Amino acid sequence: MEKVNGKMESFSPIRDEGSRITICYGLKQLNEGLFEWHEIYLPKKQLSQLSLSDVKAAIITDINERITTNIIGGMKFDEKPVWLSIENQINFSQATAPCRLKIGEEEDGSPVYHDFETKTALKAFNDKCQEWKNGCLDAGRTEKENIDWEPYEK
């Protein structure tokens, strides 16, 4: 998957590019004359013929992967990166205050810790984690519900 910026004339829902097929979706206008969309590349040798169900599966899988990536690595708490893997979600929810938690890592791999002195502070953190996760899931659900499948029907 790749996010692409370009002019409207560069966008096509499905492009046959020789050894691969490119599926484009999620067209959004950024400003006058400039658009953004996502592209998925499928090797032709994996497909005998591209069907609407193939397109739907590829797009839904791509959106789900972006949702998961955003849930796990997109949150910040007090300007600190939070790593919301399933394991960390469980560990965070089972922690008791006062405690020091490794909540994430910097880009260079160094650990990011946060001290929670009270139950209230820890609960607020866990509530923020849940809000973040729910917001990501809601955004993905909305994106999937708003896909116009008509351009992909052949």
Side-chain angles (χ1 to χ4, degrees):
M1 189 279 294
E2 184 176 332
K3 188 181 274 190
V4 176
N5 292 329
K7 297 190 181 289
M8 182 65 179
E9 51 269 10
S10 301
F11 179 84
S12 176
I14 298 175
R15 288 193 313 265
D16 187 334
E17 299 178 330
S19 63
R20 70 180 186 188
I21 293 175
T22 301
I23 300 171
C24 304
Y25 73 95
L27 183 67
K28 291 183 213 169
Q29 186 166 2
L30 299 175
N31 58 44
E32 192 171 326
L34 186 62
F35 293 81
E36 169 186 276
W37 62 87
H38 299 279
E39 292 188 350
I40 305 167
Y41 309 110
L42 303 175
K44 261 192 184 173
K45 62 184 174 188
Q46 292 179 356
L47 302 165
S48 57
Q49 184 176 353
L50 186 66
S51 68
L52 181 58
S53 63
D54 294 328
V55 171
K56 286 182 177 183
I59 291 174
I60 297 301
T61 297
D62 192 62
I63 292 170
N64 288 342
E65 288 172 359
R66 285 191 294 110
I67 292 168
T68 299
T69 299
N70 201 23
I71 288 171
I72 292 172
M75 183 181 164
K76 298 256 189 235
F77 181 76
D78 286 348
E79 303 302 316
K80 299 175 185 174
V82 177
W83 188 254
L84 271 184
S85 65
I86 298 294
E87 180 182 4
N88 280 359
Q89 290 177 51
I90 293 167
N91 290 341
F92 296 160
S93 68
Q94 293 179 349
T96 56
C99 63
R100 171 177 254 203
L101 294 176
K102 178 184 173 191
I103 62 171
E105 292 183 352
E106 296 291 353
E107 287 184 22
D108 66 3
S110 59
V112 175
Y113 294 97
H114 191 85
D115 294 314
F116 297 94
E117 302 297 332
T118 66
K119 289 180 185 179
T120 304
L122 185 56
K123 182 181 181 324
F125 171 71
N126 278 302
D127 289 348
K128 291 275 188 206
C129 291
Q130 193 60 46
E131 288 172 21
W132 175 259
K133 182 178 174 181
N134 289 342
C136 292
L137 292 170
D138 289 344
R141 190 172 16 261
T142 299
E143 183 177 0
K144 289 186 260 188
E145 289 170 355
N146 289 324
I147 296 171
D148 177 8
W149 296 111
E150 187 179 344
Y152 304 98
E153 295 174 348
K154 288 188 174 191

